[in-house]
Amino acid sequence: MTTPSETRATESTQPSQRLMSVDALRGFDMFWIIGADSLVYALNGMSKSRPTSFLAEQLDHAEWAGFHFYDLIFPLFVFIVGVSLVFSLTKSIERAGRAEALVRVFRRSVLLFAVGIFYSGGFTSPWPDIRLMGVLNRIALAYFFAGLLFCFFKPRALVAICVGILGGYWAIMTFVPVRDIQLTKENLAHLASQAGDKQTAALFEGEGNPSAAKNSPAWVAAEKMFYAMTNRVVGKFEQGLNLANHIDFEYLPGRKYDTFFDPEGYLSTMPAVATCLLGVFAGMLLRNQSLPGVQKVVWLIGFGIAGVALGWLWGAQFPVIKKIWTSSYVLVAGGYSAILLGVFYLIVDVWQARAWCQPFVWMGMNSITIYLAGNILGDFRPLAMRLAGGDVKMFFDNAVARGFGEMVISIVGLLLAFWVVHFLYKRKIFLRL
């Protein structure tokens, strides 16, 4: 005999229905992407203290190794993509067969990849000042490969593939030799200065991104220094001194986000597929009709805690680094993502407490739309400045507290974003690539 809460949880997880908790969690994730962090920065600017400084630090990426709350935002979205594809592709397979599901995966991946190039500037500038690999591009590739694997393999095989990806990436990054040269502007300038070549050192001390300029003297000089290095090392994970970064330097065309390499480059996309597969496993769990809702929550949170613990343990040898998406980072971020999903699922779909999360649902169901809108409008800040900048901002700074004007601008920007997604939600307008 099932309890009322278990009955409601079972009804809410029927394959034909959307899980509100997934949409709400996606919207919660987008909430931070479109500018919620500015609220904390404004608060810290008004009154700096240990708590506000800590929160502000957590809303900035770790410089290299380590993990802050903001380092969870991107992998959480990839994780949710994996959760969602279980429901959407299963529905496609049941209705029209696997071929139709594969067409869906291919079409959505190509469109999202194209949107990613547009998001990064598109064809505003001439080649090579065009970024080919960015956030949306990585999501597209992770969805593509995870979707294909889901269509062809059973759960046990998917688990083995996920483990293989994480273990394989660790082995490649640890044991494949790389040139003993750190590809950062600072280090290249230092090496050139040590060699007495002040002219070359000055190239790396200048402004601009050498990868975005055709035949850039700084890029040519970096290539000369890179290929002249004959000494090889293994097991290196420093910024600019690791296999993923060196592969980007040699083979990734176009503008690189970090000058000589890219945080969404070729090799580090492989473990991002594993992040998406972790979401697939969570989606399979949520879709399992034989388990009551509370038990699903226990499994999600239990696996999440185990993932975080294992990830930090692995991080002792293979550091937790977002910018090269290390295997340990996959486990830590995936663990926190599973815990968050478990909490949202418990509150929203098991306990049916939904009024509080409705704004997040609006945003979660139009996540790509609001992401693009934020890119074009500048995270809604320029528009918010038109409404609450100037004398309005000065009034709040003088009448309430210094820095409160920035807080008001941040709040107005977020309200504008929520107004947009609410407008679209009410009119049932959803951007589905």
Side-chain angles (χ1 to χ4, degrees), residues 186-233:
E186 295 78 11
N187 184 63
L188 293 175
H190 176 68
L191 292 176
S193 295
Q194 278 189 324
D197 190 349
K198 294 185 178 180
Q199 185 176 1
T200 297
L203 293 175
F204 300 118
E205 293 167 353
E207 298 293 329
N209 187 336
S211 69
K214 189 174 183 179
N215 300 320
S216 162
W219 186 269
V220 172
E223 285 188 319
K224 183 177 179 181
M225 296 172 68
F226 180 79
Y227 291 114
M229 173 60 66
T230 57
N231 187 42
R232 304 271 179 158
V233 292

Side-chain angles (χ1 to χ4, degrees), residues 22-35:
V22 176
D23 288 325
L25 182 56
R26 188 188 299 110
F28 173 78
D29 199 35
M30 291 305 305
F31 172 69
W32 297 100
I33 293 174
I34 64 167

Side-chain angles (χ1 to χ4, degrees), residues 304-317:
I305 293 172
V308 171
L310 182 59
W312 282 116
L313 184 63
W314 199 349
Q317 188 277 322

Side-chain angles (χ1 to χ4, degrees), residues 249-300:
F249 177 75
E250 291 189 86
Y251 303 112
L252 179 61
R255 183 179 74 248
K256 266 71 75 177
Y257 188 84
D258 285 330
T259 306
F260 298 112
F261 45 86
D262 201 287
E264 281 78 51
Y266 283 144
L267 189 60
S268 60
T269 297
M270 183 171 76
V273 176
T275 297
C276 199
L277 286 176
L278 293 180
V280 168
F281 302 144
M284 290 177 173
L285 175 66
L286 293 180
R287 198 175 177 278
N288 188 337
Q289 300 302 300
S290 65
L291 294 176
V294 174
Q295 190 171 343
K296 293 175 184 179
V297 172
V298 172
W299 279 107
L300 283 171

Side-chain angles (χ1 to χ4, degrees), residues 137-220:
N137 308 82
R138 170 158 290 183
I139 293 172
L141 292 171
Y143 170 79
F144 177 75
F145 288 109
L148 288 182
L149 291 169
F150 177 77
C151 288
F152 284 103
F153 293 96
K154 295 186 180 298
R156 287 187 180 181
L158 289 175
V159 171
I161 291 170
C162 185
V163 172
I165 290 173
L166 295 179
Y169 184 62
W170 162 78
I172 291 171
M173 290 288 288
T174 301
F175 299 114
V176 173
V178 297
R179 287 180 169 85
D180 189 14
I181 182 170
Q182 187 175 20
L183 294 172
T184 63
K185 278 188 172 184
E186 295 78 11
N187 184 63
L188 293 175
H190 176 68
L191 292 176
S193 295
Q194 278 189 324
D197 190 349
K198 294 185 178 180
Q199 185 176 1
T200 297
L203 293 175
F204 300 118
E205 293 167 353
E207 298 293 329
N209 187 336
S211 69
K214 189 174 183 179
N215 300 320
S216 162
W219 186 269
V220 172

Side-chain angles (χ1 to χ4, degrees), residues 23 26-35 77 115 119 136 359-381 383 412-425 429-432:
D23 288 325
R26 188 188 299 110
F28 173 78
D29 199 35
M30 291 305 305
F31 172 69
W32 297 100
I33 293 174
I34 64 167
F77 196 93
V115 170
Y119 180 91
L136 292 177
F360 290 142
V361 174
W362 304 336
M363 190 166 287
M365 294 186 71
N366 253 312
S367 55
I368 299 298
T369 305
I370 201 65
Y371 190 62
L372 289 174
N375 172 257
I376 296 169
L377 298 174
D379 292 335
F380 293 93
R381 182 176 176 81
L383 188 55
V412 170
L414 287 170
L415 289 176
L416 287 170
F418 278 115
W419 178 83
V420 170
V421 292
H422 179 254
F423 176 86
L424 296 173
Y425 181 84
I429 301 172
F430 306 106
L431 178 59
R432 304 187 191 283

